[in-house]
Amino acid sequence: MKIINFETHREKIQKTKGLLLCLFFLISFGNVAYAQEKNQMVRLAIIKVDPLQLEAYQVALKKQMNAAILKEPGVLTYYAVADKSDPSKITILEIYADTADYQTHITTEHFLKYKETVKDMVTSLELVDVDLISSLNKTGN
């Protein structure tokens, strides 16, 4: 029997956990109409935040997300989740109508303000482009 030292695999386990959590959100809460769009850009942002600055980070993130959804027609979906065992590990699911809308998004005033605000709060950032396979949601809930 092979014994696995989970301490040495912690980073891989945490990354996999974040990806699985976002896939769960994609499957559970996505929008069916958007799932059929072939040119959408779907991305996971896997972020580690300084735990001492977590509250301020969450405020900045929510402000940026709200502005993007309200002001940018090409920003279709945002879900931000925190790891229950370590709330400073945040995974964001972002869906854009297409790559051009993402490129527009990262040049907006609200996004640039967010990046400037959180630059000393974020200790690591990994961006993972993914393909949306399927999604469902209940309407009216």
Short mmCIF file of all heavy atoms in Angstrom, two decimals, residues 98-132:
data_model
loop_
_atom_site.label_atom_id
_atom_site.label_comp_id
_atom_site.label_asym_id
_atom_site.label_seq_id
_atom_site.Cartn_x
_atom_site.Cartn_y
_atom_site.Cartn_z
N ASP A 98 -17.55 37.63 -25.02
CA ASP A 98 -16.46 37.20 -25.89
C ASP A 98 -15.16 37.83 -25.39
O ASP A 98 -15.16 38.59 -24.42
CB ASP A 98 -16.73 37.56 -27.36
CG ASP A 98 -17.00 39.03 -27.59
OD1 ASP A 98 -16.42 39.89 -26.86
OD2 ASP A 98 -17.79 39.36 -28.47
N THR A 99 -14.08 37.49 -26.04
CA THR A 99 -12.76 37.96 -25.62
C THR A 99 -12.66 39.49 -25.73
O THR A 99 -12.02 40.12 -24.89
CB THR A 99 -11.66 37.29 -26.46
OG1 THR A 99 -11.80 35.87 -26.33
CG2 THR A 99 -10.27 37.68 -25.99
N ALA A 100 -13.28 40.08 -26.73
CA ALA A 100 -13.25 41.53 -26.88
C ALA A 100 -13.90 42.21 -25.68
O ALA A 100 -13.40 43.24 -25.20
CB ALA A 100 -13.95 41.95 -28.17
N ASP A 101 -14.99 41.64 -25.17
CA ASP A 101 -15.63 42.21 -23.98
C ASP A 101 -14.74 42.09 -22.75
O ASP A 101 -14.72 42.98 -21.90
CB ASP A 101 -17.00 41.56 -23.73
CG ASP A 101 -18.04 42.05 -24.71
OD1 ASP A 101 -18.14 43.27 -24.91
OD2 ASP A 101 -18.74 41.20 -25.30
N TYR A 102 -13.99 41.01 -22.66
CA TYR A 102 -13.02 40.88 -21.56
C TYR A 102 -11.94 41.96 -21.69
O TYR A 102 -11.58 42.61 -20.71
CB TYR A 102 -12.38 39.49 -21.54
CG TYR A 102 -11.20 39.43 -20.61
CD1 TYR A 102 -11.39 39.40 -19.22
CD2 TYR A 102 -9.90 39.46 -21.09
CE1 TYR A 102 -10.32 39.38 -18.36
CE2 TYR A 102 -8.82 39.43 -20.23
CZ TYR A 102 -9.03 39.40 -18.87
OH TYR A 102 -7.96 39.39 -18.02
N GLN A 103 -11.44 42.14 -22.91
CA GLN A 103 -10.40 43.15 -23.13
C GLN A 103 -10.91 44.55 -22.77
O GLN A 103 -10.18 45.36 -22.19
CB GLN A 103 -9.90 43.10 -24.58
CG GLN A 103 -9.14 41.84 -24.92
CD GLN A 103 -7.89 41.64 -24.09
OE1 GLN A 103 -7.21 42.60 -23.71
NE2 GLN A 103 -7.59 40.39 -23.77
N THR A 104 -12.16 44.83 -23.09
CA THR A 104 -12.76 46.10 -22.71
C THR A 104 -12.87 46.20 -21.19
O THR A 104 -12.55 47.23 -20.60
CB THR A 104 -14.16 46.25 -23.35
OG1 THR A 104 -14.02 46.24 -24.77
CG2 THR A 104 -14.85 47.52 -22.90
N HIS A 105 -13.30 45.11 -20.57
CA HIS A 105 -13.47 45.08 -19.12
C HIS A 105 -12.20 45.48 -18.37
O HIS A 105 -12.24 46.29 -17.44
CB HIS A 105 -13.93 43.69 -18.68
CG HIS A 105 -13.86 43.46 -17.21
ND1 HIS A 105 -14.70 44.11 -16.32
CD2 HIS A 105 -13.06 42.67 -16.47
CE1 HIS A 105 -14.39 43.72 -15.09
NE2 HIS A 105 -13.40 42.85 -15.16
N ILE A 106 -11.06 44.93 -18.78
CA ILE A 106 -9.82 45.17 -18.03
C ILE A 106 -9.26 46.57 -18.25
O ILE A 106 -8.26 46.93 -17.61
CB ILE A 106 -8.75 44.09 -18.30
CG1 ILE A 106 -8.35 44.05 -19.76
CG2 ILE A 106 -9.25 42.73 -17.80
CD1 ILE A 106 -7.19 43.10 -20.05
N THR A 107 -9.90 47.37 -19.10
CA THR A 107 -9.47 48.75 -19.28
C THR A 107 -10.45 49.76 -18.67
O THR A 107 -10.23 50.96 -18.77
CB THR A 107 -9.30 49.08 -20.79
OG1 THR A 107 -10.57 48.97 -21.44
CG2 THR A 107 -8.28 48.16 -21.43
N THR A 108 -11.53 49.25 -18.05
CA THR A 108 -12.53 50.17 -17.48
C THR A 108 -11.99 50.83 -16.22
O THR A 108 -11.11 50.31 -15.54
CB THR A 108 -13.83 49.42 -17.13
OG1 THR A 108 -13.54 48.41 -16.16
CG2 THR A 108 -14.49 48.82 -18.35
N GLU A 109 -12.57 51.99 -15.93
CA GLU A 109 -12.16 52.74 -14.74
C GLU A 109 -12.37 51.92 -13.46
O GLU A 109 -11.50 51.89 -12.59
CB GLU A 109 -12.96 54.04 -14.67
CG GLU A 109 -12.57 54.93 -13.51
CD GLU A 109 -13.37 56.23 -13.50
OE1 GLU A 109 -13.88 56.66 -14.54
OE2 GLU A 109 -13.47 56.80 -12.40
N HIS A 110 -13.52 51.24 -13.35
CA HIS A 110 -13.78 50.50 -12.12
C HIS A 110 -12.84 49.31 -11.95
O HIS A 110 -12.42 49.01 -10.84
CB HIS A 110 -15.25 50.05 -12.03
CG HIS A 110 -15.76 49.32 -13.21
ND1 HIS A 110 -16.39 49.96 -14.24
CD2 HIS A 110 -15.73 48.01 -13.54
CE1 HIS A 110 -16.75 49.07 -15.15
NE2 HIS A 110 -16.35 47.87 -14.75
N PHE A 111 -12.47 48.64 -13.04
CA PHE A 111 -11.54 47.51 -12.92
C PHE A 111 -10.14 48.01 -12.56
O PHE A 111 -9.48 47.43 -11.69
CB PHE A 111 -11.49 46.68 -14.20
CG PHE A 111 -10.56 45.51 -14.08
CD1 PHE A 111 -10.96 44.36 -13.40
CD2 PHE A 111 -9.29 45.54 -14.62
CE1 PHE A 111 -10.10 43.28 -13.26
CE2 PHE A 111 -8.43 44.47 -14.48
CZ PHE A 111 -8.83 43.33 -13.81
N LEU A 112 -9.70 49.07 -13.21
CA LEU A 112 -8.37 49.61 -12.90
C LEU A 112 -8.29 50.11 -11.46
O LEU A 112 -7.27 49.94 -10.79
CB LEU A 112 -8.01 50.72 -13.89
CG LEU A 112 -7.84 50.25 -15.34
CD1 LEU A 112 -7.66 51.45 -16.27
CD2 LEU A 112 -6.69 49.26 -15.47
N LYS A 113 -9.37 50.70 -10.96
CA LYS A 113 -9.42 51.14 -9.56
C LYS A 113 -9.33 49.93 -8.63
O LYS A 113 -8.61 49.95 -7.62
CB LYS A 113 -10.69 51.93 -9.28
CG LYS A 113 -10.78 52.44 -7.86
CD LYS A 113 -12.01 53.27 -7.62
CE LYS A 113 -12.01 53.75 -6.17
NZ LYS A 113 -13.20 54.50 -5.85
N TYR A 114 -10.06 48.86 -8.95
CA TYR A 114 -10.00 47.63 -8.17
C TYR A 114 -8.57 47.09 -8.13
O TYR A 114 -8.05 46.77 -7.06
CB TYR A 114 -10.95 46.59 -8.78
CG TYR A 114 -10.64 45.16 -8.42
CD1 TYR A 114 -10.99 44.64 -7.18
CD2 TYR A 114 -9.99 44.32 -9.32
CE1 TYR A 114 -10.71 43.32 -6.85
CE2 TYR A 114 -9.70 43.01 -9.00
CZ TYR A 114 -10.06 42.51 -7.77
OH TYR A 114 -9.76 41.21 -7.45
N LYS A 115 -7.91 46.99 -9.29
CA LYS A 115 -6.55 46.46 -9.34
C LYS A 115 -5.59 47.29 -8.50
O LYS A 115 -4.75 46.75 -7.78
CB LYS A 115 -6.05 46.38 -10.80
CG LYS A 115 -6.72 45.33 -11.62
CD LYS A 115 -6.51 43.92 -11.11
CE LYS A 115 -5.16 43.38 -11.49
NZ LYS A 115 -4.98 41.96 -11.14
N GLU A 116 -5.73 48.60 -8.57
CA GLU A 116 -4.88 49.49 -7.77
C GLU A 116 -5.16 49.31 -6.28
O GLU A 116 -4.24 49.26 -5.47
CB GLU A 116 -5.09 50.94 -8.19
CG GLU A 116 -4.28 51.95 -7.41
CD GLU A 116 -2.77 51.78 -7.56
OE1 GLU A 116 -2.30 51.27 -8.60
OE2 GLU A 116 -2.04 52.17 -6.63
N THR A 117 -6.44 49.19 -5.93
CA THR A 117 -6.83 49.06 -4.52
C THR A 117 -6.31 47.76 -3.91
O THR A 117 -5.87 47.75 -2.76
CB THR A 117 -8.38 49.11 -4.39
OG1 THR A 117 -8.83 50.36 -4.92
CG2 THR A 117 -8.82 48.96 -2.95
N VAL A 118 -6.34 46.67 -4.65
CA VAL A 118 -6.03 45.35 -4.08
C VAL A 118 -4.59 44.90 -4.34
O VAL A 118 -4.21 43.81 -3.90
CB VAL A 118 -7.02 44.27 -4.57
CG1 VAL A 118 -8.45 44.67 -4.24
CG2 VAL A 118 -6.84 43.94 -6.03
N LYS A 119 -3.79 45.70 -5.02
CA LYS A 119 -2.46 45.24 -5.42
C LYS A 119 -1.60 44.78 -4.25
O LYS A 119 -0.80 43.85 -4.40
CB LYS A 119 -1.74 46.32 -6.23
CG LYS A 119 -1.32 47.53 -5.43
CD LYS A 119 -0.60 48.54 -6.29
CE LYS A 119 -0.20 49.71 -5.43
NZ LYS A 119 0.37 50.78 -6.21
N ASP A 120 -1.76 45.36 -3.07
CA ASP A 120 -0.98 44.94 -1.91
C ASP A 120 -1.74 43.96 -1.01
O ASP A 120 -1.24 43.56 0.02
CB ASP A 120 -0.54 46.16 -1.10
CG ASP A 120 0.40 47.06 -1.89
OD1 ASP A 120 1.22 46.52 -2.67
OD2 ASP A 120 0.32 48.29 -1.74
N MET A 121 -2.95 43.60 -1.41
CA MET A 121 -3.76 42.64 -0.64
C MET A 121 -3.64 41.23 -1.20
O MET A 121 -3.74 40.25 -0.47
CB MET A 121 -5.24 43.05 -0.68
CG MET A 121 -5.54 44.40 -0.10
SD MET A 121 -7.32 44.75 -0.33
CE MET A 121 -7.37 46.46 0.13
N VAL A 122 -3.45 41.12 -2.51
CA VAL A 122 -3.39 39.83 -3.19
C VAL A 122 -1.96 39.30 -3.13
O VAL A 122 -1.03 39.97 -3.56
CB VAL A 122 -3.86 39.97 -4.65
CG1 VAL A 122 -3.64 38.68 -5.42
CG2 VAL A 122 -5.32 40.39 -4.70
N THR A 123 -1.82 38.08 -2.59
CA THR A 123 -0.49 37.48 -2.50
C THR A 123 -0.22 36.52 -3.66
O THR A 123 0.94 36.24 -3.96
CB THR A 123 -0.30 36.75 -1.16
OG1 THR A 123 -1.29 35.72 -1.03
CG2 THR A 123 -0.43 37.72 0.00
N SER A 124 -1.29 36.02 -4.30
CA SER A 124 -1.10 35.22 -5.52
C SER A 124 -2.37 35.28 -6.35
O SER A 124 -3.47 35.43 -5.83
CB SER A 124 -0.73 33.78 -5.20
OG SER A 124 -1.81 33.08 -4.65
N LEU A 125 -2.18 35.15 -7.66
CA LEU A 125 -3.28 35.18 -8.61
C LEU A 125 -2.97 34.20 -9.73
O LEU A 125 -1.89 34.24 -10.31
CB LEU A 125 -3.45 36.59 -9.19
CG LEU A 125 -4.37 36.73 -10.41
CD1 LEU A 125 -5.81 36.37 -10.06
CD2 LEU A 125 -4.29 38.14 -10.97
N GLU A 126 -3.92 33.32 -9.99
CA GLU A 126 -3.80 32.41 -11.13
C GLU A 126 -5.06 32.54 -11.96
O GLU A 126 -6.17 32.45 -11.44
CB GLU A 126 -3.64 30.96 -10.66
CG GLU A 126 -3.52 29.99 -11.81
CD GLU A 126 -3.41 28.55 -11.35
OE1 GLU A 126 -3.48 28.27 -10.16
OE2 GLU A 126 -3.27 27.69 -12.25
N LEU A 127 -4.90 32.79 -13.25
CA LEU A 127 -6.03 32.91 -14.17
C LEU A 127 -6.07 31.64 -15.03
O LEU A 127 -5.07 31.28 -15.65
CB LEU A 127 -5.88 34.14 -15.05
CG LEU A 127 -5.80 35.48 -14.30
CD1 LEU A 127 -5.52 36.62 -15.27
CD2 LEU A 127 -7.06 35.72 -13.51
N VAL A 128 -7.24 30.98 -15.03
CA VAL A 128 -7.39 29.73 -15.75
C VAL A 128 -8.56 29.88 -16.72
O VAL A 128 -9.70 30.07 -16.28
CB VAL A 128 -7.66 28.55 -14.78
CG1 VAL A 128 -7.80 27.24 -15.55
CG2 VAL A 128 -6.59 28.46 -13.71
N ASP A 129 -8.29 29.81 -18.00
CA ASP A 129 -9.36 29.85 -19.00
C ASP A 129 -9.94 28.44 -19.12
O ASP A 129 -9.21 27.46 -19.21
CB ASP A 129 -8.83 30.33 -20.35
CG ASP A 129 -8.48 31.81 -20.31
OD1 ASP A 129 -9.11 32.56 -19.55
OD2 ASP A 129 -7.57 32.22 -21.05
N VAL A 130 -11.27 28.37 -19.08
CA VAL A 130 -11.96 27.09 -19.13
C VAL A 130 -13.05 27.14 -20.19
O VAL A 130 -13.45 28.22 -20.63
CB VAL A 130 -12.57 26.71 -17.75
CG1 VAL A 130 -11.48 26.52 -16.71
CG2 VAL A 130 -13.56 27.76 -17.27
N ASP A 131 -13.53 25.98 -20.58
CA ASP A 131 -14.66 25.88 -21.50
C ASP A 131 -15.90 25.51 -20.71
O ASP A 131 -15.88 24.57 -19.91
CB ASP A 131 -14.41 24.81 -22.57
CG ASP A 131 -13.36 25.24 -23.58
OD1 ASP A 131 -13.34 26.43 -23.94
OD2 ASP A 131 -12.57 24.38 -24.01
N LEU A 132 -16.98 26.22 -20.95
CA LEU A 132 -18.26 25.91 -20.34
C LEU A 132 -18.84 24.71 -21.07
O LEU A 132 -19.08 24.77 -22.27
CB LEU A 132 -19.19 27.12 -20.43
CG LEU A 132 -20.56 26.98 -19.80
CD1 LEU A 132 -20.45 26.72 -18.31
CD2 LEU A 132 -21.37 28.24 -20.05
#
